[in-house]
Amino acid sequence: MLLLHRAVVLGLRQACRLKSSHSRLCIPSCSANDSFQSQYPSLAFPGYNSSTRRWRVMGTLLGLGAVLAYHDHRCRAVQKSPRIYTREEVKSHSSPETRIWVTLGSEVFDVTEFVDLHPGGPAKLMLAAGGPLEPFWDLYAVHNQPHIREILAQYKIGNLRPEDKMPSTLKTSDPYANDPRRHPALKVNSQRPFNAEPPSELLTENYITPNPIFFTRNHLPVPNLDPDTYRLHIVGPSGHQSLSLSLDDLYQFPKYEVTVTLQCAGNRRSEMNQLKQVRGLEWTTGAISTARWAGARLCDVLAKAGHQLCETEAHVCFEGLDSDPTGTAYGASIPLVRAMDPEAEVLLAYEMNGQPLPRDHGFPVRVVVPGVVGARHVKWLGKVSVEPEESYSHWQRRDYKGFSPSVDWDSVDFDSAPSIQELPVQSAITEPKDGEIVESGEVTVKGYAWSGGGRAVIRVDVSLDGGLTWQVAELYGEEQRPRKAWAWRLWQLQAPVPPGKKELNIVCKAVDDSYNVQPDTVAPIWNLRGVLSNAWHRVHVHVAP
């Protein structure tokens, strides 16, 4: 009797679990509080005595408990064994009406509810609708991160059948197979696309950064362009013909040379990550470099095409020849007033440090916009046009913008913030490195300083005690012209180590000629993309006994 009682209770408990289950694969059952007699009047067994009725009821409940327990077992088995789909079934789910399915490896996902939340925009995710994600993840390798896979896992609905796991559509060439070889000293932040920075100890060895270790920021595969067939398309204004310029045509324009520092908007992002997680490549202090660029002035080429300044707002839009599988190219824009200003010295550059542009840096032609964030220096330039609005490129409208520390990915509105153009004042320590052991007696501290918009760096202050006391560093490098200080200043401080000190908290901060100065901490400038990171740079070192 006790065993019978336990079987009935077990069955009822299984029924309760089935009732509360949210699985789409299980059929809801009864609640322990439901009235069995109202649903199953036959259990009253009229005409039988009470003892017989009790045995009948108990027997029936035992059977019911066994059925429910078996049903629960079947539900668990189904849950543990995901549903199997064919690739044809997945292919038929490619629109909001049929729901949007994608695959990754052998897994199938229903991402219908995520499409509008996709950071790159719904259109990009819809390119994979009904098919595999691999061709796009191969191109945008930033997706292959744990937090991205965790998001995707929430939408899993099953697996592909084994024979469908490797579709013939994936037998395509690797878009990165023809990328150039890189210098082994570079610290790689991502391979596909390639993004890397020089080690800090090499960064300030020379005022002009050698081409092989100049920081590299790519968004897409590096195109392999033939200089003999290359053409730059300059869209003319209404009533004028467009220009199609070969390299030889560009060489006919007056050649200008300008020393310019390029800095990625994400330089020093790693310091924001230490405070709170952001999205983006883990740049340290090396997403900045300086070169001597040569080429034709953009203002001269635009004037040749018939463009001139206008009273209404206008933008010069640049389109690169690097593109994704859909043909979408990297793009960006700058205000027309800057592009047409000879004093702004914007170049269509074809030389870098006296040599043709390396492939990683835009061969055969790139834009160089002095004093402006690196994202606007479009490489492998294919098209230039003047438009009433800024570029509609994802990288102009939906990236490279700054926000309040209170804004997160649920509340961000990219349309509410202007695109980054000029960058704030910046400095960083390149020697000694964090955690290094320095000799007692005297310490040498080195670094760089730069400010956007052509603002000259007038001073770098260095502290050995975390900011309690300060000393002024010596600046060196090319002399900076007023409002045309396009390149960094390198700096150095040689200072005695205070007697008895076992460690030093070295800090630097720069001041530009508008008396802009770096903020002392990261917290007030933290933002979800980790851009514009320019707090005091800090290095902690130990003093040798």
Side-chain angles (χ1 to χ4, degrees):
M1 192 69 180
L2 180 60
L3 292 175
L4 182 61
H5 172 73
R6 287 178 177 173
V8 171
V9 170
L10 177 62
L12 289 174
R13 286 178 178 171
Q14 302 288 15
C16 294
R17 280 200 292 268
L18 286 169
K19 178 70 175 179
S20 62
S21 173
H22 295 290
S23 171
R24 289 174 291 181
L25 301 175
C26 297
I27 303 171
S29 188
C30 65
S31 166
N33 296 322
D34 289 342
S35 171
F36 273 73
Q37 184 160 337
S38 62
Q39 294 184 49
Y40 304 101
S42 62
L43 293 183
F45 302 113
Y48 288 85
N49 59 38
S50 58
S51 176
T52 304
R53 283 199 300 270
R54 280 198 302 272
W55 280 106
R56 286 277 186 171
V57 170
M58 297 300 272
T60 304
L61 289 177
L62 178 60
L64 177 62
V67 169
L68 292 174
Y70 176 75
H71 180 68
D72 179 68
H73 170 77
R74 292 292 296 167
C75 287
R76 290 173 181 271
V78 170
Q79 289 171 334
K80 290 180 181 178
S81 302
R83 182 172 172 179
I84 303 300
Y85 298 96
T86 67
R87 191 162 292 280
E88 285 303 312
E89 285 179 281
V90 174
K91 189 176 180 180
S92 67
H93 292 78
S94 59
S95 69
E97 292 74 27
T98 61
R99 300 194 67 80
I100 299 156
W101 293 7
V102 296
T103 65
L104 184 67
S106 62
E107 297 177 303
V108 180
F109 306 88
D110 182 344
V111 295
T112 309
E113 310 305 327
F114 181 72
V115 170
D116 288 334
L117 304 176
H118 186 241
K124 287 288 175 69
L125 183 52
M126 286 299 293
L127 294 171
L133 288 170
E134 280 89 341
F136 303 94
W137 281 32
D138 283 347
L139 195 62
Y140 298 102
V142 69
H143 287 87
N144 198 16
Q145 298 186 48
H147 75 276
I148 302 291
R149 288 186 172 271
E150 286 174 11
I151 293 172
L152 186 61
Q154 300 173 32
Y155 300 93
K156 182 175 176 178
I157 58 172
N159 288 339
L160 283 172
R161 64 179 182 178
E163 55 266 41
D164 281 344
K165 289 180 183 178
M166 292 298 293
S168 59
T169 54
L170 292 184
K171 295 177 182 177
T172 57
S173 60
D174 179 358
Y176 294 94
N178 291 320
D179 268 19
R181 296 182 64 182
R182 279 88 181 203
H183 196 282
L186 290 171
K187 175 184 176 291
V188 178
N189 289 319
S190 75
Q191 285 282 3
R192 303 157 68 88
F194 186 79
N195 291 281
E197 59 187 295
S200 59
E201 58 268 31
L202 294 183
L203 186 58
T204 51
E205 280 294 299
N206 301 283
Y207 181 75
I208 298 296
T209 311
N211 289 358
I213 63 167
F214 197 100
F215 92 95
T216 300
R217 177 66 175 110
N218 294 335
H219 297 83
L220 298 161
V222 176
N224 196 2
L225 304 175
D226 182 349
D228 294 330
T229 59
Y230 169 79
R231 296 294 182 272
L232 173 59
H233 186 57
I234 311 291
V235 179
S238 178
H240 291 73
Q241 284 191 337
S242 296
L243 303 180
S244 180
L245 303 176
S246 66
L247 271 178
D248 285 337
D249 294 330
L250 275 177
Y251 296 155
Q252 303 311 307
F253 288 88
K255 181 180 179 180
Y256 288 82
E257 294 188 8
V258 188
T259 303
V260 177
T261 294
L262 269 62
Q263 181 180 222
C264 179
N267 192 31
R268 298 179 59 195
R269 177 180 285 128
S270 58
E271 294 163 53
M272 287 193 174
N273 255 334
Q274 293 171 13
L275 178 69
K276 182 181 176 183
Q277 187 68 37
V278 299
R279 294 186 187 176
L281 296 168
E282 190 81 355
W283 297 109
T284 57
T285 57
I288 184 171
S289 298
T290 299
R292 183 76 174 169
W293 308 93
R297 291 190 308 190
L298 177 60
C299 61
D300 294 338
V301 176
L302 289 175
K304 180 74 172 179
H307 290 288
Q308 56 186 3
L309 281 175
C310 52
E311 295 180 0
T312 58
E313 181 182 6
H315 302 261
V316 179
C317 298
F318 307 114
E319 189 175 292
L321 293 170
D322 50 336
S323 61
D324 65 18
T326 69
T328 301
Y330 183 85
S333 61
I334 61 173
L336 177 64
V337 65
R338 182 185 292 273
M340 293 297 293
D341 182 3
E343 294 299 305
E345 301 184 293
V346 182
L347 296 183
L348 300 180
Y350 44 76
E351 287 183 6
M352 178 180 180
N353 295 332
Q355 300 175 348
L357 293 175
R359 282 185 59 210
D360 258 333
H361 300 291
F363 179 83
V365 177
R366 74 173 298 165
V367 184
V368 173
V369 191
V372 168
V373 64
R376 314 300 166 217
H377 298 233
V378 176
K379 299 187 282 188
W380 313 289
L381 188 62
K383 180 181 176 182
V384 179
S385 62
V386 177
E387 309 292 347
E389 296 187 34
E390 66 178 0
S391 170
Y392 279 93
S393 165
H394 165 82
W395 293 279
Q396 186 83 22
R397 300 278 182 135
R398 292 291 179 269
D399 203 350
Y400 299 119
K401 295 185 176 186
F403 295 94
S404 166
S406 64
V407 174
D408 59 26
W409 287 101
D410 293 326
S411 61
V412 65
D413 176 9
F414 278 94
D415 292 328
S416 68
S419 301
I420 298 171
Q421 293 284 342
E422 297 178 0
L423 287 169
V425 63
Q426 175 73 282
S427 71
I429 299 163
T430 57
E431 292 184 46
K433 296 198 298 185
D434 192 60
E436 190 173 317
I437 298 175
V438 299
E439 295 297 323
S440 58
E442 187 175 74
V443 62
T444 299
V445 185
K446 295 181 180 181
Y448 63 77
W450 180 77
S451 191
R455 293 178 289 275
V457 171
I458 59 172
R459 193 178 78 240
V460 173
D461 299 324
V462 181
S463 173
L464 303 184
D465 53 16
L468 297 177
T469 61
W470 298 90
Q471 303 177 61
V472 178
E474 179 185 357
L475 302 178
Y476 60 97
E478 287 185 9
E479 198 63 34
Q480 297 191 317
R481 297 170 293 169
R483 298 299 168 182
K484 297 174 73 173
W486 309 130
W488 61 13
R489 299 300 298 270
L490 302 184
W491 56 265
Q492 179 174 306
L493 175 74
Q494 289 182 304
V497 175
K501 284 286 186 181
K502 296 182 178 179
E503 56 186 34
L504 301 176
N505 292 310
I506 308 175
V507 182
C508 73
K509 61 182 176 71
V511 183
D512 69 21
D513 62 9
S514 293
Y515 286 95
N516 297 308
V517 68
Q518 296 170 250
D520 58 342
T521 61
V522 171
I525 60 172
W526 183 95
N527 58 87
L528 76 176
R529 275 293 281 119
V531 295
L532 308 170
S533 181
N534 73 323
W536 295 357
H537 190 225
R538 303 169 184 268
V539 168
H540 179 260
V541 299
H542 303 279
V543 179

